[in-house]
Amino acid sequence: EEMSNRKTAAFAPRYDEFTSFLSKSDHVPESPSASRRFPFDECMSAALDGDLADMAESVQSSLYERWNVEEYAAENTPLHLIRAGMGGRAAEVLVDRDFCTRRVVALGPVEATRRHVSDLIELRRAHSQQRDANGKQGGGVGGVSDLNIVDAIQEGATCIIDEVVRQSPGSARGVSMAICLSTMGEGLIKARQPKEASQRLEEAAGLYRELLGQGHIDVARAVTAVAKSLVKINETRAALIRFGEASSTYEDCDASHHFDSIANLQGMANLFVTTGDFQAASALYENVISRKQSVHGEFSVATAKTINDYAVILAKNGRMEDALRRYEKARSTYERALDGLPPSMSWLNHGESAAKCGFDTALINLNIASIKSKKGDIPGAISSYEAGVQGLRKYKEELDMAGDEAGRNRNSSHMRHLVSALGRIGSLRLKLGNRNGALEAYASLFKEVNAESPVASRLEKAKAHIKCATIYRQSGDREDNKHAIIHLREALNMYTDLYGTEHKDTVAVATSLQQWLDEQAHR
């Protein structure tokens, strides 16, 4: 991957009087365009798959001491094909029994299964990207978008597992086989094949019980994985039974405070929310928060995230007072977890970046503001919205400093939240009679929205123009009337772009604008 991004378009250094690895006539010049990368994956695909690979067989014996070509080919050929845009050929390789045999022999059953799962997930991702790029009409390079991806994934999964079984006649019911089945099952979930995943995970759980006994932590992990796969296919009752079985197993092996045990409980709590049993979900969430405080610490990112998740559920079920308290607790926990850490701190104790935690805190402030607004606490809501806006802008700055494209993408979630929050600040300030404050908020909103912004953000801007026009219109001043007409004309242009000239909202804005223009002309 690093070589594919290097500036020099050849494997050998440029020829000069000190470098004579190749003759000057054979030197490949650098690419004239910085945007053109060296086709590393294409070259490796040609070397590992096809006529060039067959030609290399005669010299492989001399290469084994320096580089195990067969092992590299078995491990990386499908990935190079996918990255080179030859998804159709990659699919053929992944369902080819001879290749699966080579992969298991070269890498061993467990690593071969892991690599196969990774390649199937990558193939699914490439297929999805190509389909989106082609407008779901096919015609991708190497036929990847025309591929029946479901059949390819299922056949590839079956092929590697069958080969592992075939090459392990004496240990077809061993721990390695259980690991392969569970690895394949979890990979199939990621590849969006939950039904097939649940079958593989059930097999793995049965093997773990047979080999390790019921009271083993690996059995509990396997049963939790089965429960997650059942959730994906809407087998709610069966999933709850599996979550409960896993929880009992964790308790039996004295691992109730293990990370996986806590995750199992939280999965069960989320499922109770889905089924509408809020009382059971609430009790489980309290238990999860208590355990995370014990394991991660009271003021940790993991604890803050769980408290925030619980607050979201409380708010969705109408328990606003409880939700507000939990949101405020989550915010203070995040602040304590981040206290004293520099902005450049990349990772915290829960694998979360400091910038991402700042984004989460900003969203918590927005949720607090929404609840306060519904309760009629307008000043408190404005204060919380302003804190949220400040946090979102800080997050945007950190993305820009890191060179992340999301910082400049108007369709990013933080930009959508920012535009919405600025609109709410303007509306709430207007309720308090603060006209200038409202105009200031709307002016900030205008700067954040352009033609590349999503429809919702552009609509928010159009509505803000109407509100500004109304504010100026109500003053009665001649200069303010001019500003009102300017804003209403901007709103009309935006509604026309969004909905066309015949839409009822466009017609209403156009009618108002004409009326205002007529009144101004008769003054």
Side-chain angles (χ1 to χ4, degrees), residues 430 435 438-440 442-443 446 460-493 495 508-510 512-514 516-517 519 523:
L430 203 53
R435 294 173 62 253
L439 290 171
E440 182 183 338
Y442 292 137
F446 298 151
E460 191 80 43
K461 182 177 180 178
K463 290 178 178 178
H465 274 299
I466 293 174
K467 290 177 182 178
C468 288
T470 304
I471 292 171
Y472 282 119
R473 175 80 172 171
Q474 288 172 347
S475 75
D477 183 78
R478 178 178 292 272
E479 286 299 318
D480 284 350
N481 280 338
K482 291 181 181 178
H483 287 299
I485 289 173
I486 291 171
H487 280 289
L488 201 60
R489 186 173 281 117
E490 285 290 334
L492 177 60
N493 292 336
Y495 272 107
V509 175
S512 296
L513 177 60
Q514 187 59 52
W516 290 9
L517 288 170
E519 289 178 5
R523 284 185 179 180

Side-chain angles (χ1 to χ4, degrees), residues 29-44:
E30 292 186 16
S31 171
S33 171
S35 62
R36 290 178 56 193
R37 68 174 183 82
F38 178 71
F40 176 71
D41 290 299
E42 289 85 342
C43 290
M44 292 304 298

Side-chain angles (χ1 to χ4, degrees), residues 501-514:
T501 56
E502 303 301 321
H503 191 272
K504 60 182 178 116
D505 291 339
T506 309
V507 172
V509 175
T511 303
S512 296
L513 177 60
Q514 187 59 52

Side-chain angles (χ1 to χ4, degrees), residues 1 3 11 40-41 43-49 52-53 56-77 80 102 106-107:
E1 187 172 348
M3 293 193 76
F11 287 105
F40 176 71
D41 290 299
C43 290
M44 292 304 298
S45 298
L48 299 172
D49 180 63
L52 195 55
E57 286 184 2
S58 60
V59 296
Q60 272 200 20
S61 58
S62 64
L63 294 174
Y64 265 103
E65 291 183 4
R66 292 179 290 164
W67 183 37
N68 193 330
V69 177
E70 174 63 16
E71 182 178 329
Y72 186 89
E75 183 176 1
N76 296 296
T77 297
H80 283 306
R102 290 172 57 196
L107 305 179

